Amino acid sequence: MFDKIYHWIDERIDLKSLQNKLLNEPMAGGARFAYVFGSVLLFIFVMQVVTGILLMFYYAPTADHAWESTKYIMQEVEFGWFVLSYHLWGASAMVMILVMHMSQVYLWGAYKKPREVVWLVGLLLLLIVMGFGFTGYLLPWDQRSYWATTVGVEIVDKVPIIGDFLGRFLRGGAVPGAQTLSRFFVIHVMILPLGLIAIAGLHVFLFRRVGPAGPFKGAKRELTAKMEYFFPGQVYKDIVIVLLVFVAICALAIYSPHQLLDQASPEASDLDPEPEWYFLFLFQLLRDPALSFLFSGEWGEFLGAIAIPTVFLALLVALPFIDRNPERNLLKRPIAVSAWVVVMLSIVVLTIRAIQFRE
Ligand code: HEM
């Protein structure tokens, strides 16, 4: 029966060649766990879309109803609390896996010729994922989300040349209010998802054109690894990690569900506004007493909130063009590896200090 259906479809749309294209991709150096991160990111994104659509059945994106509808989701809708908490932990997981994916391609030198464009398109995806975090944070419309967004948009205002326009565009008025919420909502549920689907499609298409970089020379496995195809070896590895990530996100959603604070109120709040944890390191740069000699005052704020992140991003863009040495062996790239260690350590230390600062 199934055979017949398969042949009927195969005769019409040539399933065999589709299967060949999708599954029989040669994996340089054989299937390995180092290649799972991209697939895990795609999986998390699909789940964010599914849970996001479920939330939209109940969420009302207006200043009058956003907070109440979120409270309704958390307290009244069956499993609403789980879906919302999954969505929030899913976002955190996406950022974590994104950092791992970037680290892996960076440390393996996979940004080098001929994969420069894959790397650059990846950077667009990084910006989109950060945009998701920033815009989504406002949607519950509680005190924390309102005040953190107020601070965030004030930082956008300070960007030279386009900052004023961008700030007004995001805010939709003099102070964050109903317009801001509508705009953030449209960006979060329409513009960014469409952007991510298109750009991730391009990213994977380009990756398939050049093929995986494979292990760098000197890696022991390369000598023994046979040539394998994407299916089945890599698919199985991907599925194992995807399942682990799924279980971890579910567990986090169950054991640490989202906490909704009081409804947003534009009158001054005594709450110290804080962004989502993955932006905390940047925030701490501006408020850490140990660094106040560098980052206080108007210029200090500009340096910490705009100049350093922009220069860092520009360096990431320029990386494949600055580092033209084809050498991909980690042990022979001390500068690249030290730079990665310094950046990661700074982010971890600043995040830990931000959490201590809170207590
Ligand atoms: C939502 C975000 C992203 C998704 C869904 C994604 C997806 C993927 C997938 C499916 C692959 C194929 C192989 C693999 O899994 O390693 C890949 C490879 C690659 N990605 Fe991404 N990626 C994302 C973000 C990024 C970022 C931020 C960068 C770096 C700036 C990046 C750079 C690369 C590079 C250089 C490769 C080629 C790796 C190789 O040849 O070994 N990606 N990506």
Side-chain angles (χ1 to χ4, degrees):
M1 169 71 177
F2 283 119
D3 249 21
K4 272 196 177 148
I5 297 176
Y6 178 84
H7 284 301
W8 192 88
I9 301 175
D10 189 33
E11 261 175 12
R12 278 146 192 92
I13 58 172
D14 196 6
L15 283 174
K16 282 253 158 48
S17 76
L18 196 67
Q19 177 187 340
N20 272 346
K21 276 212 176 77
L22 292 179
L23 298 180
N24 294 350
E25 182 208 4
M27 307 293 301
R32 53 185 64 220
F33 282 106
Y35 295 152
V36 301
F37 300 113
S39 309
V40 175
L41 281 169
L42 289 175
F43 164 76
I44 298 179
F45 175 64
V46 170
M47 288 304 289
Q48 290 303 93
V49 173
V50 172
T51 49
I53 289 175
L54 289 177
L55 291 171
M56 275 200 287
F57 279 120
Y58 294 96
Y59 176 75
T62 62
D64 297 350
H65 295 109
W67 183 79
E68 275 185 14
S69 59
T70 310
K71 193 168 171 216
Y72 185 76
I73 292 171
M74 287 300 293
Q75 294 179 356
E76 306 291 333
V77 179
E78 218 160 335
F79 292 108
W81 63 271
F82 175 73
V83 175
L84 178 56
S85 307
Y86 183 101
H87 194 74
L88 294 168
W89 280 112
S92 292
M94 190 142 185
V95 174
M96 291 282 283
I97 307 284
L98 194 71
V99 172
M100 292 183 195
H101 178 55
M102 270 185 87
S103 298
Q104 190 260 324
V105 296
Y106 174 81
L107 292 171
W108 283 38
Y111 56 85
K112 298 188 178 202
K113 189 181 169 192
R115 293 180 187 75
E116 299 96 322
V117 189
V118 184
W119 170 262
L120 293 179
V121 173
L123 287 178
L124 284 179
L125 292 172
L126 171 73
L127 292 181
I128 292 179
V129 171
M130 281 164 53
F132 268 120
F134 183 55
T135 49
Y137 203 58
L138 180 67
L139 302 185
W141 202 245
D142 66 4
Q143 283 290 64
R144 177 178 41 212
S145 63
Y146 180 84
W147 288 101
T149 304
T150 305
V151 175
V153 182
E154 275 168 13
I155 290 176
V156 172
D157 280 334
K158 295 196 174 86
V159 174
I161 307 167
I162 51 164
D164 182 49
F165 167 77
L166 213 58
R168 273 188 295 131
F169 171 75
L170 287 176
R171 209 183 288 115
V175 286
Q179 278 291 327
T180 324
L181 183 59
S182 308
R183 289 174 184 213
F184 273 48
F185 180 71
V186 172
I187 297 172
H188 190 79
V189 307
M190 288 295 297
I191 299 175
L192 293 177
L194 289 177
L196 196 129
I197 290 168
I199 311 273
L202 180 65
H203 188 63
V204 176
F205 170 77
L206 293 170
F207 163 78
R208 287 259 166 149
R209 296 289 294 176
V210 284
F216 45 83
K217 285 204 174 63
K220 246 194 222 152
R221 257 201 76 182
E222 196 197 28
L223 305 171
T224 51
K226 55 187 184 312
M227 179 58 89
E228 275 183 80
Y229 291 105
F230 182 61
F231 182 81
Q234 191 59 42
V235 173
Y236 288 159
K237 287 195 165 60
D238 286 358
I239 290 175
V240 168
I241 302 298
V242 157
L243 283 177
L244 280 178
V245 168
F246 176 68
V247 170
I249 299 175
C250 288
L252 286 163
I254 291 168
Y255 293 110
S256 179
H258 178 55
Q259 304 290 332
L260 188 66
L261 301 188
D262 290 341
Q263 184 165 10
S265 111
E267 282 96 57
S269 136
D270 51 6
L271 191 91
D272 196 9
E274 264 194 0
E276 197 50 296
W277 68 266
Y278 38 84
F279 290 127
L280 267 183
F281 71 99
L282 262 179
F283 192 62
Q284 187 64 15
L285 205 63
L286 303 178
R287 70 167 178 186
D288 199 313
L291 299 170
S292 64
F293 69 99
L294 265 178
F295 300 114
S296 61
E298 208 159 304
W299 271 106
E301 263 182 31
F302 177 78
L303 181 69
I306 314 271
I308 292 183
T310 310
V311 169
F312 182 66
L313 201 65
L315 280 176
L316 288 180
V317 171
L319 177 70
F321 310 103
I322 302 174
D323 178 10
R324 282 151 176 256
N325 183 353
E327 179 61 76
R328 289 178 39 230
N329 188 347
L330 262 185
L331 305 172
K332 295 188 181 154
R333 294 163 53 220
I335 301 178
V337 176
S338 322
W340 181 82
V341 172
V342 169
V343 170
M344 287 298 152
L345 265 182
S346 315
I347 293 178
V348 170
V349 169
L350 281 168
T351 308
I352 292 174
R353 277 186 68 83
I355 293 166
Q356 286 170 341
F357 202 80
R358 194 190 287 162
E359 287 154 6

